[in-house]
């Protein structure tokens, strides 16, 4: 017979985890990532151009569709200079069938601006990255984190869902600003000097375990910390039943 007890939610201060919970989240996440990380081609490079290409492709497109196109695109445009000197029509054609065709147009413009104004080097600055049309806060954070190895926060769909479920549950309302909270959480949680692995790990956990429709709570490393565990499809109330043995 399984035993259940009602336990209080993890201590939070204005929805921010206390240092103990923060440390546990970091440790569990990085341990899980060491065993389950996805093998993705853009994780084998630190070239800011290639990472930018992957991040722009990943905007609104699933990983398995991006992988072959990413490789093909980089064979055709192996450097930012080659991309900048190509015709925008060719770049758009090379992008198909990924869709959202404004993305290759913007990527091409970013390449030209980088060559003309930054000597062909993608700037290692959140502010300068966000000054490019087509680079928002997430993409800028991802480039800073994955190309320049800075502890910059990211918040894509997977990370948003994971942090929301673990730390906020269904708490959204009361005139609060959930997205800002999630950005603040993403920033607060990064262990110093480990932004690269930590951010990749949050994306992987969101993509593989804490999925949108069927989160696999039974094998999730966060189940003892997560205020939404076990995930209730309706998520009307955060279920707080925890296994006694955990
Ligand atoms: S316990 Fe379930 S809801 Fe919570 S983070 Fe893990 S998979 Fe997501």
């Amino acid at each position: 017979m399984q035993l259940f007890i009602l336990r209080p939610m993890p201590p939070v201060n204005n929805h921010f985890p206390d240092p103990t919970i923060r440390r546990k989240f970091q440790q569990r996440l990085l341990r899980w990532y060491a065993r389950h990380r996805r093998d993705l081609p853009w994780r084998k490079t630190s070239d800011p151009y290639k990472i930018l290409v992957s991040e722009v492709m990943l905007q609104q497109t699933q990983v398995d569709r991006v992988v072959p196109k990413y490789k093909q695109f980089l064979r055709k445009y192996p450097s930012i200079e080659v991309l900048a000197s190509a015709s925008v029509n060719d770049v758009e054609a090379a992008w198909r069938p990924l869709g959202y065709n404004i993305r290759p147009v913007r990527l091409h413009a970013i390449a030209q601006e980088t060559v003309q104004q930054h000597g062909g080097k993608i700037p290692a600055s959140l502010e300068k990255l966000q000054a490019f049309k087509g680079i928002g806060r997430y993409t800028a954070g991802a480039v800073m984190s994955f190309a320049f190895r800075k502890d910059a926060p990211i918040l894509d769909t997977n990370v948003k869902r994971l942090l929301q479920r673990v730390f906020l549950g269904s708490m959204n309302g009361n005139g609060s600003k959930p997205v800002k909270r999630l950005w603040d959480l993403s920033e607060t949680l990064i262990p110093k000097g480990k932004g690269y692995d930590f951010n990749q790990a949050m994306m992987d956990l969101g993509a593989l375990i804490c999925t949108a429709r069927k989160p696999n709570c039974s094998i999730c490393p966060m189940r003892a910390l997560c205020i939404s565990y076990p995930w209730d499809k309706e998520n009307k109330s955060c279920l707080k039943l925890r296994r006694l043995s955990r």
Side-chain angles (χ1 to χ4, degrees):
M1 187 181 81
Q2 279 189 319
L3 288 174
F4 292 92
I5 59 166
L6 194 61
R7 281 167 57 184
M9 294 208 186
V12 289
N13 177 9
N14 196 22
H15 309 307
F16 280 90
D18 73 14
T20 311
I21 298 291
R22 199 158 61 210
R23 205 166 41 250
K24 283 187 178 172
F25 181 87
Q26 293 164 342
Q27 287 168 347
R28 283 163 192 239
L29 184 69
L30 290 172
R31 228 181 287 139
W32 176 86
Y33 178 67
R35 295 181 59 199
H36 302 285
R37 67 174 68 175
R38 288 177 292 177
D39 181 24
L40 299 170
W42 44 89
R43 291 184 179 171
K44 294 173 181 151
T45 180
S46 58
D47 180 341
Y49 163 65
K50 292 177 181 170
I51 286 166
L52 178 63
V53 170
S54 73
E55 289 301 335
V56 174
M57 284 187 172
L58 286 163
Q59 291 167 1
Q60 316 196 28
T61 307
Q62 291 188 328
V63 166
D64 53 352
R65 287 187 65 215
V66 168
V67 169
K69 183 51 75 180
Y70 168 82
K71 292 178 179 171
Q72 203 184 349
F73 191 85
L74 287 178
R75 273 196 296 276
K76 186 157 189 185
Y77 305 112
S79 70
I80 201 156
E81 287 82 6
V82 177
L83 181 63
S85 62
S87 90
V88 70
N89 289 342
D90 282 353
V91 176
E92 274 186 288
W95 193 268
R96 283 185 209 118
L98 285 188
Y100 296 99
N101 286 338
I102 190 66
R103 291 181 297 171
V105 175
R106 287 191 171 152
L107 185 61
H108 181 254
I110 291 167
Q112 291 194 324
E113 205 176 322
T114 302
V115 169
Q116 287 158 13
Q117 295 180 17
H118 301 282
K121 292 203 180 324
I122 291 174
S125 147
L126 266 182
E127 209 181 30
K128 287 183 182 165
L129 284 166
Q130 285 182 90
F132 288 111
K133 209 167 179 182
I135 298 190
R137 188 173 176 186
Y138 164 74
T139 304
V143 172
M144 290 303 288
S145 173
F146 304 144
F148 299 115
R149 304 284 175 138
K150 302 289 181 199
D151 287 343
I154 57 159
L155 195 69
D156 72 345
T157 314
N158 287 320
V159 174
K160 211 183 274 181
R161 185 173 59 250
L162 175 71
L163 295 179
Q164 172 78 41
R165 285 175 178 171
V166 174
F167 295 108
L168 304 182
S170 57
M171 291 183 279
N172 261 336
N174 305 329
S176 60
K177 295 179 180 153
V179 174
K180 181 181 180 315
R181 271 194 209 158
L182 291 169
W183 270 110
D184 291 346
L185 259 175
S186 179
E187 185 163 16
T188 307
L189 287 165
I190 298 176
K192 209 168 179 303
K194 295 186 178 164
Y196 180 98
D197 278 348
F198 185 79
N199 285 338
Q200 299 281 18
M202 282 204 294
M203 292 198 298
D204 280 6
L205 190 63
L208 301 175
I209 303 289
C210 192
T211 56
R213 291 204 181 145
K214 283 190 182 167
N216 201 342
C217 296
S218 62
I219 58 163
C220 179
M222 296 307 165
R223 58 193 188 277
L225 306 177
C226 177
I227 67 172
S228 303
Y229 173 81
W231 177 249
D232 157 23
K233 198 174 163 209
E234 300 301 321
N235 201 21
K236 287 193 174 129
S237 62
C238 294
L239 301 180
K240 288 171 281 181
L241 290 171
R242 308 287 173 97
R243 284 174 209 271
L244 185 61
S245 56
R246 241 182 302 122

